[in-house]
Amino acid sequence: MTERTDLIVGNWKMNATHLDAIQMVQKLSYRLEPSDFDRVEVVVGPPFTALRSVQTVIEADQLLIKLAAQNVHWEAKGAFTGEIAPEMLAKLSVSHVIVGHSERRAMFGETDEIVNKKAKAVLANAMTPIVCVGETLEERDSDRTEHVVVSQVEGGLQGISAADIGRSSIAYEPIWAIGTGRTPSVDDAGSVCELIRSTVARTHGEEAAESVRVLYGGSVNAGNVKGFMAKRHIDGGLVGGAALDPDSFASIVRYWV
Ligand code: PGA
């Protein structure tokens, strides 16, 4: 059985100027021990305008914290006003890119097809996509969670090689749990993450399914993270609000303490 390293990602969303971001990553680094990084891959996702500043801090201070972008365009370059190409991120030492976050699906019209193109572009530039999936409250209440999540996983990962899936991550984020303080039970979250892994096993084979990291996201905090992390099929967390405070994010990273 593959040993999967835990992965905790802070999604800062549209928060933090580049000056705020510098302080946030420095404060976070003071609160983590070198040995924490043996157990957990720690990633922060500032807005585009702060990536270069955070990259500079990471390099200058030789931090083990990794850098994520929150979005990307799939084309390499061209007349796409306002968009950011994968290579622009890769050259800033961005290692992870969040794709298909529910806020982008709901507010910016991202479909599974777009998510799929973005995930492929991220992989083609040697970065790791964090593909987000999850149901609305209405879908949950009408017992469609499994159907929605399976089709988002299938659509988002279509045409990607098994080896690439093995180095990717999938974040299960029930939309009704994002920013609301509400969460599914750890058992429910664990079951959906298991379903995601079995879907990957069906579409891309056992090896890819054993290697892909499945994260839970939605109102993760220092108090509830340990419960989620105890589930066999949950390999980490995608954290929004609680990632903005370096103290609480550090406690989430050090969930076993
Ligand atoms: P939240 O956000 O932790 O504030 O619920 C999670 C996310 O949107 O990734």
Side-chain angles (χ1 to χ4, degrees):
M1 201 171 63
T2 322
E3 272 299 317
R4 296 181 295 268
T5 308
D6 294 341
L7 172 62
I8 308 265
V9 184
N11 172 12
W12 295 2
K13 309 193 178 183
M14 198 173 74
N15 296 288
T17 66
H18 73 289
L19 299 170
D20 300 329
I22 289 168
Q23 289 205 351
M24 285 161 70
V25 74
Q26 281 175 333
K27 283 186 183 160
L28 176 63
S29 72
Y30 302 150
R31 285 158 180 73
L32 297 176
E33 307 284 339
S35 58
D36 296 337
F37 295 94
D38 297 337
R39 289 183 74 148
V40 185
E41 201 175 340
V42 183
V43 183
V44 295
F48 286 134
T49 49
L51 286 174
R52 173 65 176 152
S53 306
V54 174
Q55 179 214 10
T56 306
V57 173
I58 289 173
E59 278 182 10
D61 296 352
Q62 299 188 327
L63 305 182
L64 297 170
I65 297 168
K66 294 184 180 172
L67 198 51
Q70 300 172 19
N71 187 25
V72 68
H73 196 271
W74 58 89
E75 294 286 351
K77 62 169 143 177
F80 301 99
T81 303
E83 295 295 326
I84 300 291
E87 189 191 8
M88 298 172 187
L89 301 175
K91 284 279 191 282
L92 285 173
S93 310
V94 165
S95 55
H96 294 71
V97 184
I98 300 168
V99 296
H101 188 280
S102 65
E103 286 152 16
R104 297 216 55 86
R105 291 179 190 258
M107 291 186 261
F108 303 99
E110 289 195 9
T111 59
D112 288 335
E113 196 188 338
I114 292 174
V115 171
N116 182 241
K117 285 186 191 173
K118 291 185 173 188
K120 285 175 177 163
V122 168
L123 286 159
N125 284 270
M127 299 179 288
T128 300
I130 300 168
V131 177
C132 302
V133 300
E135 81 287 358
T136 62
L137 190 56
E138 194 198 344
E139 288 161 346
R140 184 176 192 90
D141 287 345
S142 54
D143 286 331
R144 281 154 60 212
T145 298
E146 297 192 356
H147 172 77
V148 168
V149 168
V150 167
S151 74
Q152 287 177 338
V153 170
E154 288 172 349
L157 305 187
Q158 205 176 356
I160 298 177
S161 72
D164 277 347
I165 296 297
R167 60 187 182 88
S168 300
S169 294
I170 302 169
Y172 169 54
E173 299 205 303
I175 295 170
W176 50 273
I178 295 177
T180 58
R182 293 180 58 197
T183 65
S185 68
V186 292
D187 286 344
D188 280 358
S191 306
V192 178
C193 290
E194 182 170 7
L195 173 68
I196 290 171
R197 201 178 302 286
S198 64
T199 303
V200 172
R202 175 167 54 73
T203 56
H204 290 82
E206 283 296 337
E207 207 175 314
E210 273 302 313
S211 314
V212 68
R213 278 180 290 176
V214 182
L215 316 183
Y216 167 75
S219 296
V220 172
N221 60 40
N224 62 23
V225 62
K226 198 171 179 178
F228 291 115
M229 293 304 290
K231 300 306 285 186
R232 148 125 175 75
H233 291 285
I234 299 182
D235 305 314
L238 180 54
V239 186
L244 296 174
D245 172 19
D247 282 318
S248 70
F249 191 61
S251 303
I252 292 170
V253 168
R254 297 159 58 86
Y255 66 88
W256 60 89
V257 175

